[in-house]
Amino acid sequence: MRTLLVLGGGYGGLALIQELLGSHLPHDVEMVLIDRMPYQGIKTEYYALAAGTVTDYHLRIQFPVHPRLTVRYGEVGSIDLESRLVFLETGEPVAYDILAIALGCTDNYHNIPGAEKYTCSIQSFSGTRETYRRLNDVKPYGSVNIVGGGLSGVELAAELRESRPDLNISILDRGERVLSSFPAKLSQYVEEWFKVHHVETLGQISVSHVEKDAIFNGTQAIPADVTVWTGGIQPVKVVQQLELPKDRGGRIIVGSHYNVTDYPEVYVIGDCASLPFAPSAQAAGAQGEQVANIIQALWRNETPKLHKIKLKGTLGSLGKNAGFGLMGRRSVMGRVPRLLKSGVLWMSKRHFG
Ligand SMILES: Cc1cc2nc3c(=O)[nH]c(=O)nc-3n(C[C@H](O)[C@H](O)[C@H](O)COP(=O)(O)OP(=O)(O)OC[C@H]3O[C@@H](n4cnc5c(N)ncnc54)[C@H](O)[C@@H]3O)c2cc1C
C-alpha cells in the first residue's frame, strides 16, 4: 500500500481529503490524517469563542468517516524528510509515500520580551478556550488590550464589546490606522464603529516589551488586566524546525505544483506555504482542492492541469449586526457584509460537516 499522509485537518488538509474522497482513489492508496483534535476547529470564528458569544461546540466540524481514511490523533513533533517519517511527540513514527503538510500557523511574537508569556492567543482551539476564560474572568469595568489591528484583532474587539459592554477595550497597532492593508475608506468605517461603541484605537504603538499587567511602548506603560496578541503569525513550530527554503514570513517555498523542490513527494498547503496571497481559510481550501487534483493526475500518469486560484474577497464582522468586506476593489460596509459572512460560515459548515 502507498500512504498519503495529511498533517492537519484544518481548511487546507480537509479540502484535500474531501476532494480525494469524492473521486476515484487508486486501490493501493491509503489516506491517513493526523491532527491533535478529533474535529476541525472553525478558526475563522475563534474571535467569537474568545469573546464568549459562541460556544466551543458550535465551532466543531467532525472529520469525515470513510473506509479509505484513517484518522489518528496526536501531536506532530517532527518530520524527517530524508527517511519519509513523521514523528509524533510520543516518539512514534508514521511512514509516508506522499506527505501533505497543512498544520496552519501560530503567533509570531517578533522576539518581543514577555509577549508570549503574558499575552493570550486566538490561534489554536485550546489557546482560544483559555483566552475565553481569561477575558470573561476580567473584573467588571476592567481593561483589555488587543495588540494588532488586523482582521482578527478588529473582529475580536467588536465581538468582545458586545459580549462585555462594561470593559475598557483598546486596540493597539503599529500603523496609523486599523486594517491598514484594507482601503482607507473601510478603515475609517471601522474606526467610526469603534468610536460609537467606545473601543479605543491607538496607532503607532511599537510594543517594546510586555509585563503581567501592561504592555510597553518604549517607556510608556499601557496597563490592562488581559492582553490578547493578534500582532502577527508564522507557521507552526514543526514547520519552523524544517530546514527548507522559506520566505520572509517563514512559509515554505513551493513550486507550481505546491510541492518542495528537493522533496517532490512533499506538498505544503495553507498557512504553512508561501503563496502569492495573504494566508486565509479561503486560500487554504482552494489550494487543498488543487493539490488533490495534482496528486490524482500524477496517479493517472497525466500532466496536472493547473488553474489560477481566484479568491472571492474578504469579509469581517463588527459584532453580530455590522460588518465590512472587500470584493475585488469594492469596499462594502454595514449589515449586508455581516449577513454574507454568516452565510459563508453556514455554507462552509455544510460543505465540511
Ligand atoms: C480570529 C481569526 C479570524 C479569521 N478570519 C478569517 C476569515 O474571515 N477568512 C479567511 O479566509 N481566513 C480567516 N482567518 C485565517 C484562517 O483561519 C487561516 O488562514 C486558515 O485556518 C488556514 O488554514 P490551514 O489549513 O492552513 O490551517 P488550520 O485551519 O489552522 O488547520 C491546521 C490544523 O493542524 C492542526 N495542528 C497544528 N499543529 C499541529 C501539531 N503539531 N500536531 C497535530 N495537529 C496540529 C490543528 O489542530 C488544525 O486542525 C482567520 C483567522 C483567525 C485566527
Side-chain angles (χ1 to χ4, degrees):
M1 281 301 259
R2 292 177 288 168
T3 302
L4 165 58
L5 178 58
V6 182
L7 303 182
Y11 291 90
L14 274 193
L16 166 69
I17 288 170
Q18 299 272 28
E19 190 73 14
L20 288 175
L21 289 180
S23 64
H24 175 72
L25 270 185
H27 67 277
D28 63 336
V29 170
E30 59 158 7
M31 271 200 288
V32 178
L33 165 67
I34 303 181
D35 201 292
R36 57 163 73 112
M37 300 199 300
Y39 42 74
Q40 182 198 1
I42 304 178
K43 191 168 182 179
T44 56
E45 297 294 304
Y46 282 5
Y47 67 91
L49 174 61
T53 55
V54 300
T55 67
D56 180 321
Y57 181 74
H58 289 103
L59 298 189
R60 303 175 193 174
I61 293 178
Q62 297 306 317
F63 288 144
V65 177
H66 195 281
R68 307 296 299 277
L69 174 71
T70 304
V71 184
R72 298 189 56 172
Y73 307 109
E75 188 73 21
V76 175
S78 62
I79 304 170
D80 183 338
L81 296 168
E82 297 303 332
S83 48
R84 297 192 182 180
L85 288 173
V86 166
F87 289 92
L88 300 182
E89 265 192 357
T90 54
E92 189 188 344
V94 184
Y96 63 82
D97 297 283
I98 301 175
L99 180 68
I101 303 174
L103 290 166
C105 68
T106 184
D107 294 288
N108 187 346
Y109 299 102
H110 311 287
N111 296 320
I112 295 172
E116 182 167 5
K117 185 167 179 191
Y118 294 118
T119 68
C120 299
S121 168
I122 54 169
Q123 286 302 330
S124 69
F125 213 135
S126 61
T128 307
R129 286 185 186 119
E130 173 62 11
T131 303
Y132 157 76
R133 189 191 62 74
R134 289 187 56 191
L135 284 175
N136 286 281
D137 279 350
V138 173
K139 64 183 188 299
Y141 304 99
S143 56
V144 171
N145 282 336
I146 296 169
V147 178
L151 179 65
S152 50
V154 161
E155 289 189 309
L156 174 64
E159 199 78 9
L160 187 60
R161 165 50 70 235
E162 285 194 354
S163 170
R164 291 282 309 263
D166 60 300
L167 294 180
N168 297 295
I169 304 169
S170 302
I171 298 188
L172 304 100
D173 197 87
R174 238 183 350 196
E176 279 184 10
R177 55 183 172 100
V178 295
L179 297 179
S180 54
S181 61
F182 287 72
K185 192 171 134 191
L186 228 149
S187 298
Q188 278 157 18
Y189 169 77
V190 172
E191 297 263 8
E192 188 54 35
W193 191 96
F194 281 143
K195 212 167 168 185
V196 171
H197 293 84
H198 307 289
V199 173
E200 189 180 26
T201 58
L202 299 172
Q204 295 189 315
I205 302 289
S206 175
V207 180
S208 51
H209 69 286
V210 185
E211 292 183 8
K212 189 166 171 283
D213 301 318
I215 69 162
F216 286 79
N217 178 33
T219 53
Q220 178 199 10
I222 307 170
D225 295 294
V226 171
T227 298
V228 185
W229 192 265
T230 64
I233 54 169
Q234 60 181 332
V236 292
K237 201 167 153 209
V238 177
V239 170
Q240 289 170 35
Q241 288 168 343
L242 279 178
E243 286 180 14
L244 287 173
K246 295 182 184 156
D247 66 13
R248 278 173 47 201
R251 297 180 188 96
I252 299 173
I253 292 174
V254 287
S256 59
H257 287 176
Y258 304 116
N259 52 355
V260 178
T261 309
D262 289 344
Y263 303 92
E265 69 283 5
V266 178
Y267 295 83
V268 191
I269 302 174
D271 288 0
C272 296
S274 181
L275 299 174
F277 20 71
S280 71
Q282 211 185 129
Q287 199 209 346
E289 283 174 15
Q290 280 221 351
V291 171
N293 295 332
I294 290 166
I295 292 175
Q296 273 169 338
L298 295 175
W299 279 335
R300 291 192 300 260
N301 287 322
E302 290 171 6
T303 308
K305 287 192 195 98
L306 292 177
H307 58 267
K308 207 170 162 217
I309 292 178
K310 281 196 192 136
L311 300 179
K312 295 193 181 87
T314 308
L315 291 166
S317 67
L318 294 169
K320 297 287 182 238
N321 297 310
F324 55 90
L326 195 56
M327 311 289 183
R329 292 203 184 147
R330 201 167 145 231
S331 300
V332 278
M333 290 157 263
R335 198 160 167 73
V336 171
R338 185 64 186 93
L339 288 171
L340 284 174
K341 189 173 163 88
S342 301
V344 169
L345 174 65
W346 185 81
M347 283 195 319
S348 94
K349 275 185 173 172
R350 266 178 66 99
H351 177 70
F352 282 122

